[in-house]
Amino acid sequence: MSLYRSCSFCVLLLLHVHSIVFGDTLNLTAVEPADRPAIQSSPVFKPGAPGSLGLLASFPEDLEISAYCSEMLLIFGRRYDTYVNCLVPASRPVRVCQNCYSSYGSLREIYNNISSNQMGPGNESCGDTLLRSDRLMLVYQLYSNLKDLWGESSCERCITAGFQSLTNDTLYFMAILNQTNACFQKYQQGNHTELCTNCKNTYVAMNELYSGMEKNLTLCIDIEDAMNGTRKLWSKNFNCSLPREETVPVIAVSCFMLFLPIIFYLSSFLHSEQKKRKLIHPKRAKSYSSLMNIQDKQS
């Protein structure tokens, strides 16, 4: 019995010590220092909230964009997107003028409405708000780049005023171009000599028209690219050639320059011989004969 009681007492003592040790540990971890400051949530940044890294949702009323200017900006964005989507597929072969002039005209119209400080509802304009309110001036930069591209393409030479349609010269050139390409496609599978013969008239007509438009300053990038491509097909792919009208004058001038030294030396020789003949005068010959007579008499 004494052994049993001793063991029971030891077990109870161990349980008591265990409860004291682990109970204090749990209490220590649960207690926080009283002087630790409480963390306050930021009014701007809220962890875990969607869009928590953004700025404040709204500005004071005097800095907010009006509904009218917001609508103008939305229209500008749509027309800008339409014009860019037209330019990409029209970049090769170049058709930026004839395919995209309508979309560019619409884009320029909305930009002019913004930049001209046109008054909207409530006598408000959007020029300062949308174009000059920040250092980047994004709307201005976007439109300026496309405007420079339009100017470098010389598209205004092929488009009528008001972006209504292509000019008559451009339409006529496109018609001749289509005839020439149709002739190329008809004879390109056979003998190229036949192609050079049968397509010569339309090709010559297109070259003459292009030269006239070049002198009149009515060429745009579409016509230039189309002419370069057609000339490459004619000369490089089909090995065709045209007799140049200026060949005869060039040959004549070359022959004249070639014989010019011969003519010069021949004329110089004849002129020198004529001078030699003039050195002997009849008087000198007469005096010489009289001198001979006097010598004979003396002898």
Side-chain angles (χ1 to χ4, degrees), residues 87-96 98-99 221-222 225-226:
L87 288 177
V88 174
S91 60
R92 190 75 270 162
V94 181
R95 298 292 185 269
V96 296
Q98 55 184 311
N99 291 352
I221 188 62
D222 292 15
D225 184 75

Side-chain angles (χ1 to χ4, degrees), residues 214-285:
E214 188 176 15
K215 294 178 181 179
N216 298 331
L217 300 178
T218 56
L219 291 180
C220 59
I221 188 62
D222 292 15
I223 297 178
E224 293 177 8
D225 184 75
M227 192 68 226
N228 291 335
T230 307
R231 286 175 174 174
K232 182 178 179 181
L233 288 174
W234 177 265
S235 60
K236 185 176 181 180
N237 293 37
F238 304 138
N239 295 322
C240 300
S241 60
L242 290 177
R244 296 183 175 273
E245 296 179 356
E246 64 269 15
T247 303
V248 175
V250 169
I251 294 176
V253 173
S254 300
C255 293
F256 175 77
M257 297 299 295
L258 180 63
F259 286 100
L260 186 61
I262 300 175
I263 298 173
F264 174 76
Y265 286 114
L266 182 60
S267 61
S268 299
F269 176 76
L270 295 176
H271 186 67
S272 62
E273 288 294 329
Q274 186 178 3
K275 283 187 174 182
K276 288 181 181 180
R277 291 178 181 177
K278 290 183 178 180
L279 290 176
I280 302 176
H281 298 285
K283 293 182 179 180
R284 295 183 62 184

Side-chain angles (χ1 to χ4, degrees), residues 56-68:
L56 290 172
S58 61
F59 287 97
E61 293 183 359
D62 57 341
L63 296 180
E64 289 182 352
I65 183 173
S66 64
Y68 171 72

Side-chain angles (χ1 to χ4, degrees), residues 11 53 65 89 117 134 146 181 188 222 232 241 251 270 296:
V11 171
L53 295 179
I65 183 173
N117 291 324
D134 57 84
L146 294 184
N181 290 332
Q188 65 179 353
D222 292 15
K232 182 178 179 181
S241 60
I251 294 176
L270 295 176
D296 292 338

Side-chain angles (χ1 to χ4, degrees), residues 179-225:
Q179 294 179 7
T180 305
N181 290 332
C183 186
F184 287 171
Q185 293 177 1
K186 181 178 180 180
Y187 295 101
Q188 65 179 353
Q189 301 298 333
N191 189 358
H192 287 173
T193 304
E194 186 178 5
L195 182 146
C196 298
T197 303
N198 295 330
C199 302
K200 176 182 176 181
N201 293 333
T202 55
Y203 181 76
V204 170
M206 187 175 64
N207 269 281
E208 293 177 352
L209 178 60
Y210 181 85
S211 299
M213 296 178 69
E214 188 176 15
K215 294 178 181 179
N216 298 331
L217 300 178
T218 56
L219 291 180
C220 59
I221 188 62
D222 292 15
I223 297 178
E224 293 177 8
D225 184 75

